[in-house]
Amino acid sequence: MSSLLVDNIGELVTNGAGEGPLGIRRDAAVLVEEGRVVWVGPSAYAPPADRRLDAGGAAVLPGFVDSHAHLVFAGDRAAEFAARMAGEPYTGGGIRTTVGATRAATDDELRATVRRLRGEALRQGTTTMEIKSGYGLTVADEARSLRIAAESSTETTFLGAHVVPAEYADRPDDYVGLVCGPMLAAAAPYAKWVDVFCERGAFDVDHARAILACGQAAGLGVRIHANQLGPGGGVQLGVELDAASVDHCTHLSDADVDALAGTAHSDGSGTRTVATLLPGAEFSTRSPYPDARRLLDAGVTVALATDCNPGSSYTSSMAFCVALAVREMRMTPAEAVWAATAGGARALRRDDIGVLTPGARADLVVLDAPSYLHLAYRPGVPLIRQVMRNGVTP
Ligand SMILES: [Zn+2]
């Protein structure tokens, strides 16, 4: 059994026991065996190990957990982005453009895109990345999207209910029947989660409830795209169905915030349903940001994710999302870093990632900086010096 000691860590973010909400330890070391953290403590008292990685006084954090990404697609929508920046509004209608390109692509083309984006994110410190389907929207194309996604992540999500495809435009009830029937049956073997885009122009609350309930009955966990473009019943539907996460949360009523706060665990460890905020989408659609402060003040657990997709948020950078959350959403740097690591883990109902405590997976990043503060303080700068996943450098 080979052990690795990461030592001489100037500032270690554990998200466990330690100083402040990030559980910070100074002059720390982490011992890794078999891909797991087995010991955390002062560098001066570190046990011997077979190998050593000297962090050189830099900051070390848990790897980012990006709990919301759409990576299985073909084509890009740079021209649509440019048009939007010139004043055209975002309606979600461009999703159908990507559906056409995705259906026309070969498996190898889709696989190459997923691997490229997964690799790009990993180099930027993302050690866990959820991947959704949702640009196939036929039984065969959704199944192959998830099969390909599952090659790169265990956190895969069936999003056959992303939009109603053009061929079903006049009969959305029939499309919901397809999603709940043969499409779910073909997708479920490769999926851990089911998701719906519950929004005007996509799926209403009744359709979303039907689809999520079918997914739940097939053994999938529930997540939902809700309240992105306007107010609606999506967040409260997510709470009703015990969703792990309600994502976007840009337009919330007091009742929505109360419903989320009502899922609080009795031990004070936050809410069972997480609000996942996706500031890359507001950035890329020039839209008002969600009010993170309001959710945090109500006791709601908040995660940050990229929403990486070719239309409304083509970034794979969690550090960029941290910087946006701090600058635009009134989160403190500590709250944003927690949301991008432990918060993402909560949004996936995982307790083995997003933390650097004994028993956790040895997923970590070494920054080219003395403190996690630099992630927001130095936006756009590549600060990830080294990434480790399962105790090895990928
Ligand atoms: Zn999304």
Side-chain angles (χ1 to χ4, degrees):
M1 184 170 62
S2 167
S3 57
L4 169 69
L5 183 71
V6 185
D7 69 353
N8 198 14
I9 300 169
E11 179 186 273
L12 174 67
V13 172
T14 67
N15 288 333
E19 171 195 319
L22 295 179
I24 286 176
R25 290 166 170 263
R26 315 265 171 204
D27 303 316
V30 174
L31 182 66
V32 175
E33 283 177 7
E34 307 261 299
R36 297 266 166 179
V37 174
V38 295
W39 180 90
V40 174
S43 216
Y45 299 102
D50 302 320
R51 288 175 302 128
R52 174 173 178 243
L53 172 65
D54 183 348
V60 169
L61 282 69
F64 294 123
V65 179
D66 185 353
S67 61
H68 186 135
H70 308 248
L71 304 189
V72 193
F73 64 84
D76 79 35
R77 281 152 58 193
E80 179 191 316
F81 174 78
R84 207 159 53 229
M85 293 304 108
E88 287 183 22
Y90 176 70
T91 62
I95 292 170
R96 291 191 182 89
T97 309
T98 300
V99 170
T102 303
R103 287 176 177 175
T106 66
D107 286 10
D108 281 345
E109 286 165 345
L110 296 178
R111 182 173 288 119
T113 296
V114 172
R115 288 190 179 162
R116 174 175 64 80
L117 292 171
R118 183 66 195 91
E120 181 182 285
L122 186 60
R123 290 193 295 278
Q124 298 172 91
T126 299
T127 47
T128 301
M129 196 171 196
E130 184 254 19
I131 304 177
K132 300 178 196 296
S133 67
Y135 294 113
L137 311 186
T138 66
V139 172
D141 285 312
E142 284 297 299
R144 73 167 176 150
S145 294
L146 285 160
R147 181 165 41 77
I148 290 166
E151 295 169 2
S152 291
S153 180
T154 58
E155 301 292 346
T156 52
T157 300
F158 171 46
L159 182 59
H162 198 182
V163 289
V164 176
E167 65 272 22
Y168 281 89
D170 299 332
R171 43 194 183 107
D173 289 343
D174 290 354
Y175 186 65
V176 172
L178 179 74
V179 171
C180 289
M183 196 183 284
L184 173 63
Y190 309 106
K192 181 171 176 183
W193 304 95
V194 60
D195 192 348
V196 173
F197 188 24
C198 183
E199 199 76 45
R200 195 155 29 91
F203 294 86
D204 65 23
V205 168
D206 289 337
H207 281 157
R209 182 185 286 108
I211 293 161
L212 294 172
C214 290
Q216 217 164 22
L220 306 183
V222 170
R223 31 202 339 104
I224 184 169
H225 285 67
N227 303 54
Q228 175 188 4
L229 304 178
V235 164
Q236 294 187 53
L237 176 64
V239 169
E240 173 191 322
L241 296 177
D242 186 33
S245 179
V246 292
D247 294 34
H248 284 292
C249 295
T250 311
H251 297 270
L252 298 185
S253 66
D254 288 345
D256 295 330
V257 176
D258 289 348
L260 286 167
T263 71
H265 294 287
S266 55
D267 63 0
S269 63
T271 52
R272 183 163 166 83
T273 298
V274 172
T276 298
L277 309 182
L278 310 166
E282 280 77 31
F283 177 88
S284 299
T285 59
R286 194 176 277 148
S287 301
Y289 289 90
D291 188 347
R293 191 77 263 140
R294 182 181 176 202
L295 289 161
L296 290 164
D297 290 349
V300 177
T301 298
V302 170
L304 287 170
T306 62
D307 196 16
C308 183
N309 79 83
S312 58
S313 182
Y314 202 7
T315 182
S316 55
S317 170
M318 289 292 283
F320 174 63
C321 295
V322 166
L324 284 182
V326 171
R327 173 64 180 80
E328 304 289 349
M329 289 156 51
R330 297 192 294 150
M331 293 177 81
T332 66
E335 286 167 340
V337 165
W338 190 93
T341 52
R346 297 284 187 86
L348 295 169
R349 299 229 162 123
R350 297 273 300 268
D351 58 12
D352 61 329
I353 55 176
V355 295
L356 290 174
T357 51
R361 269 175 36 164
D363 292 356
L364 60 84
V365 296
V366 182
L367 296 189
D368 247 331
S371 169
Y372 74 88
L373 290 168
H374 285 230
L375 289 168
Y377 172 51
R378 307 199 64 215
V381 178
L383 293 178
I384 306 299
R385 180 193 298 168
Q386 191 159 7
V387 181
M388 189 172 287
R389 189 166 52 163
N390 285 323
V392 296
T393 304

